[in-house]
Amino acid sequence: MSSFLHQLPKVELHLHIEGTLEPELMFELARRNEVTLPFDSVEAVRAAYDFEDLQSFLDLYYQGMNVLFTEADFYDLTWAYLTRCQANNVVHTELFFDPQAHLSRGVALSTQLEGITRACQDAEREMGISSAIILSFLRDMTEEHALETYEAALAYREHFIGIGLDSAEVGNPPEKFARVFDRAREDGFHLVAHAGEEGPASYIRSALDTLGVERIDHGIRCLDDEALVETLIARRIPLTVCPLSNVYLKTVPDMTGHPLPAMIERGLCVTINSDDPAYFGGYMNANYEAVQNAFAFSRDTWVLLTRNAIEAAFVTPARREALY
Ligand code: ADE
Ligand code: ZN
């Protein structure tokens, strides 16, 4: 079964490129950019990855990305992730980046987007991996800041296909960002949002109703609200679930306590993704293996999960056909 899972062609729809920064590359970039890290070894960095909740992870995640400055840094980060995609047989990936987290450190949007995009283009040409970029707003910042960032990003609109919402969820409900999502919808962008990761099911409802998102990132709290589950099923809204992330951030007690089987059983359009693989114990194959060890799914279930991801991908009809 393990070799079946490794060889299965995969589609990843929930991945933060900054969350792929492995400690080895963090040290290399720190040296290159003359940044002093608050750790004295790669092992010390890994040892610090013992999270209590989402916020304790975010603190280290934002600290880690402080080594990224140049176009080449963003290229190297993205290229390293895409080579992992090849090793995990990921054939299509849609990746988030957090522009505000870099703008606030003085890194221009063009630097961020050009580095990420150039690596994606090289991966398509050299490895046949298709990809797309989603600009994600930090929900613990103001809507005004998101709007300003969105307007600045329009100068590079050919580089990204959609917008999303991430960072500290509780206390920052989706409706806080209604205007920026309205703008992006009018401009023809795809819309997604993290909801129901640590926050309540009502945030998933709000992401659907006030932001009009096409996919929900995480969404594991949806089972708390039966009417919401029925809406998600009827509208076939994909949920980009991240099993190892949920275990590492303690949003579930352990993998065997994850609601994934119940979500599949209900007929929700569930997909499996790695979120921040450098921080959460591994990439797509590691997520598939951890889920398989806990639930011993049949091959049919794995094929269903893969088909869900192909259906949920923001690709052209021709690319979707090729993925099936
Ligand atoms: N940013 C990076 N990973 C995240 C996650 N799992 N939840 C919210 N924001 C994030
Ligand atoms: Zn995420």
Side-chain angles (χ1 to χ4, degrees):
M1 193 63 178
S2 178
S3 78
F4 167 77
L5 291 179
H6 285 200
Q7 283 162 20
L8 195 61
K10 299 172 190 75
V11 167
E12 174 142 71
L13 303 175
H14 182 160
L15 181 282
H16 303 264
I17 196 62
E18 299 90 343
T20 69
L21 179 58
E22 294 286 345
E24 290 79 4
L25 183 57
M26 192 188 292
F27 270 88
E28 189 184 323
L29 297 181
R31 245 190 324 273
R32 194 193 281 179
N33 294 319
E34 300 180 352
V35 174
T36 308
L37 291 174
F39 300 103
D40 52 20
S41 67
V42 159
E43 294 69 33
V45 178
R46 288 218 164 83
Y49 295 170
D50 179 19
F51 310 114
E52 274 313 304
D53 53 16
L54 174 58
Q55 189 59 55
S56 63
F57 154 68
L58 290 170
D59 293 343
L60 275 178
Y61 166 82
Y62 294 123
Q63 178 182 290
M65 66 178 79
N66 283 339
V67 298
L68 297 165
F69 286 100
T70 66
E71 192 262 6
D73 299 342
F74 283 89
Y75 178 93
D76 290 349
L77 173 70
T78 309
W79 182 255
Y81 163 64
L82 289 162
T83 61
R84 299 279 196 157
C85 283
Q86 187 181 41
N88 285 250
N89 213 5
V90 173
V91 292
H92 174 77
T93 179
E94 295 178 10
L95 45 98
F96 293 119
F97 79 114
D98 289 332
Q100 292 159 296
H102 310 300
L103 283 168
S104 64
R105 301 183 294 107
V107 181
L109 260 171
S110 56
T111 305
Q112 306 174 34
L113 270 169
E114 283 164 13
I116 299 169
T117 301
R118 189 163 62 86
C120 289
Q121 288 168 344
D122 285 356
E124 174 120 46
R125 198 179 54 248
E126 293 178 28
M127 303 191 282
I129 298 169
S130 56
S131 56
I133 298 169
I134 299 176
L135 191 153
S136 195
F137 297 111
L138 303 182
R139 67 199 308 152
D140 42 359
M141 298 188 77
T142 64
E143 184 183 31
E144 285 64 36
H145 200 275
L147 267 170
E148 273 169 35
T149 306
Y150 174 74
E151 274 158 16
L154 285 178
Y156 310 97
R157 61 181 305 158
E158 72 280 8
H159 288 278
F160 61 98
I161 60 153
I163 66 161
L165 197 57
D166 66 2
S167 200
E169 186 181 10
V170 174
N172 295 295
E175 60 270 22
K176 180 176 162 188
F177 295 91
R179 286 184 304 160
V180 65
F181 276 70
D182 283 346
R183 277 289 309 277
R185 183 182 316 101
E186 284 163 20
D187 293 340
F189 286 106
H190 287 293
L191 309 176
V192 300
H194 283 53
E197 177 188 18
E198 263 190 1
S202 62
Y203 283 21
I204 302 173
R205 171 64 72 184
S206 173
L208 292 176
D209 292 351
T210 66
L211 302 185
V213 299
E214 299 159 80
R215 297 195 303 236
I216 296 285
D217 295 312
H218 293 292
I220 56 169
R221 300 285 300 276
C222 72
L223 297 178
D224 296 345
D225 179 343
E226 178 54 27
L228 172 64
V229 171
E230 283 165 20
T231 302
L232 292 166
I233 293 169
R235 292 181 49 194
R236 211 152 162 77
I237 301 287
L239 306 172
T240 63
V241 174
C242 306
L244 278 175
S245 164
N246 298 148
V247 172
Y248 271 70
L249 300 188
K250 301 189 167 62
T251 56
V252 295
D254 59 19
M255 194 61 89
T256 58
H258 198 289
L260 184 66
M263 295 170 81
I264 296 170
E265 190 68 23
R266 285 302 315 267
L268 288 158
C269 184
V270 175
T271 71
I272 292 188
N273 308 273
S274 72
D275 205 6
D276 301 285
Y279 292 86
F280 301 149
Y283 293 75
M284 285 288 265
N285 283 349
N287 273 275
Y288 278 42
E289 281 218 13
V291 166
Q292 186 61 4
N293 288 340
F295 302 119
F297 286 156
S298 67
R299 287 187 182 214
D300 285 352
T301 297
W302 285 106
V303 171
L304 172 80
L305 290 165
T306 305
R307 292 184 72 87
N308 285 348
I310 297 171
E311 176 189 337
F314 296 142
V315 291
T316 62
R319 181 63 181 145
R320 198 181 319 280
E321 221 22 68
L323 290 170
Y324 274 124

